[in-house]
């Protein structure tokens, strides 16, 4: 069994065909799904997903930092109270998309830190988007004293960056970048990082050129990771599923 730890099942590219998408995933032995939102407009649809073994995450993506306000954060906090099994995400920092100004970066950091504080308050793991912002993300985690862990998704950085995230308590999301043979850093991370810190994902419906990505592709990603590491797909499944179970244990074993 495998889990797609980052798939946007409520996206219009997937939602109308969701039964078929999930059936294809399960045929590939991908049987559990973590589904993040990106903005307030997504939250209701993501939370309404009723498929078995589907875990929702709600948050505000850094691309929407300019529009986010105090009312959005208050609404997020209320929904986290109402949905005790929801994670927080997709949140984070993006210093590459549209090359944000210093002011825009500051807005992103402020929003990210506020959502980390909410996640800490509600004791939820987070799903982190990171583009060219690793040092700032680690700094924000330390500033907020965030301790609930989560996933740095679609990892594409150096082994040193990955180790910094691991020291902060995060799993490293290995995904569809591996399907590009030129993605040297992603392949190096998949091959060299301690297996107990890796989870698998697609970021569907995104990441593939000229076709819609789907959770079934976790199987192809798993086969690639297993090949890079020289281990069996079964051994990879056993450890990555243990990693996901640890991540999702927050709502069955809450901290006192």
């Amino acid at each position: 069994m495998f889990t797609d730890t980052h798939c946007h099942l409520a996206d219009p590219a997937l939602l109308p065909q969701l039964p078929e998408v999930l059936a294809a995933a399960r045929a590939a032995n991908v049987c559990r799904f973590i589904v993040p939102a990106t903005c307030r407009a997504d939250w209701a649809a993501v939370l309404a997903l009723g498929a078995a073994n589907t875990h929702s995450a709600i948050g505000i993506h850094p691309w929407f930092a300019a529009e986010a306000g105090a009312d959005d954060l208050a609404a997020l906090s209320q929904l986290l109270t109402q949905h005790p099994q929801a994670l927080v995400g997709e949140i984070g920092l993006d210093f590459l998309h549209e090359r944000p100004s210093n002011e825009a970066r500051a807005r992103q950091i402020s929003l990210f830190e506020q959502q980390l504080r909410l996640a800490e308050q509600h004791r939820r793991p987070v799903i982190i988007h990171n583009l060219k912002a690793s040092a700032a993300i680690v700094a924000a985690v330390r500033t907020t004293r965030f301790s609930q862990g989560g996933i740095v998704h679609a990892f594409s950085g150096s082994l040193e960056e990955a180790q910094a995230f691991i020291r902060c308590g995060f799993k490293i999301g290995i995904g569809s970048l591996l399907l590009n043979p030129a993605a040297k850093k992603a392949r190096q991370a998949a091959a060299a990082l301690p297996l107990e810190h890796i989870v698998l994902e697609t970021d569907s419906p995104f990441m593939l050129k000229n076709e819609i990505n789907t959770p079934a592709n976790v199987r192809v990603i798993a086969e690639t990771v297993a090949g890079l590491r020289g281990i069996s797909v079964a051994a990879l499944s056993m450890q990555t599923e243990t990693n996901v179970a640890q991540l999702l244990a927050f709502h069955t074993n809450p901290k006192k």
Side-chain angles (χ1 to χ4, degrees):
M1 172 180 160
F2 288 101
T3 299
D4 188 343
T5 62
H6 199 104
C7 49
H8 296 276
L9 297 181
D11 187 273
L14 295 179
L15 189 59
Q17 295 84 34
L18 191 56
E20 294 83 358
V21 168
L22 294 179
R26 289 174 178 132
N29 210 25
V30 182
C31 301
R32 183 163 53 184
F33 314 89
I34 297 178
V35 184
T38 58
C39 61
R40 186 172 180 173
D42 290 343
W43 296 347
V46 168
L47 290 169
L49 291 169
N53 291 323
T54 299
H55 303 266
S56 299
I58 52 174
I60 304 170
H61 192 286
W63 291 0
F64 302 100
E67 302 108 61
D71 58 329
D72 299 302
L73 292 165
L76 177 59
S77 183
Q78 183 177 17
L79 280 176
L80 290 171
T81 299
Q82 295 170 356
H83 297 271
Q85 295 187 353
L87 293 79
V88 175
E90 175 178 357
I91 66 175
L93 299 174
D94 191 324
F95 292 169
L96 180 64
H97 182 70
E98 295 184 353
R99 298 184 181 276
S101 65
N102 289 339
E103 181 181 355
R105 289 187 183 207
R107 283 198 301 268
Q108 283 191 34
I109 292 169
S110 176
L111 176 64
F112 181 45
E113 289 182 349
Q114 290 178 82
Q115 291 183 98
L116 287 175
R117 290 188 176 98
L118 277 181
E120 185 71 27
Q121 174 188 336
H122 291 276
R123 295 171 177 163
R124 310 297 169 85
V126 298
I127 309 297
I128 292 182
H129 174 99
N130 168 38
L131 273 178
K132 302 295 183 182
S134 295
I137 286 173
V138 170
V141 169
R142 290 173 176 166
T143 295
T144 58
R145 298 183 179 180
F146 179 72
S147 65
Q148 305 302 313
I151 300 170
V152 178
H153 108 89
F155 186 75
S156 61
S158 67
L159 291 177
E160 291 76 15
E161 288 174 300
Q163 292 292 351
F165 289 129
I166 288 168
R167 287 193 294 272
C168 289
F170 294 106
K171 306 295 185 186
I172 305 300
I174 302 295
S176 299
L177 282 172
L178 288 190
L179 304 182
N180 177 1
K184 294 181 180 179
K185 285 185 177 181
R187 287 178 165 250
Q188 185 181 29
L193 288 176
L195 196 54
E196 62 268 27
H197 299 305
I198 289 175
V199 294
L200 306 178
E201 62 166 79
T202 61
D203 201 10
S204 57
F206 312 110
M207 299 296 288
L208 298 183
K209 290 184 178 180
N210 304 318
E211 64 179 294
I212 294 175
N213 199 0
T214 71
N217 284 323
V218 165
R219 178 73 191 196
V220 183
I221 293 163
E223 290 169 352
T224 303
V225 174
L228 289 168
R229 300 183 74 95
I231 62 175
S232 69
V233 171
L236 178 68
S237 170
M238 183 177 299
Q239 184 60 61
T240 55
E241 287 306 291
T242 296
N243 300 344
V244 176
Q246 291 170 350
L247 178 76
L248 294 175
F250 69 94
H251 56 77
T252 57
N253 186 27
K255 296 180 180 180
K256 301 298 183 181

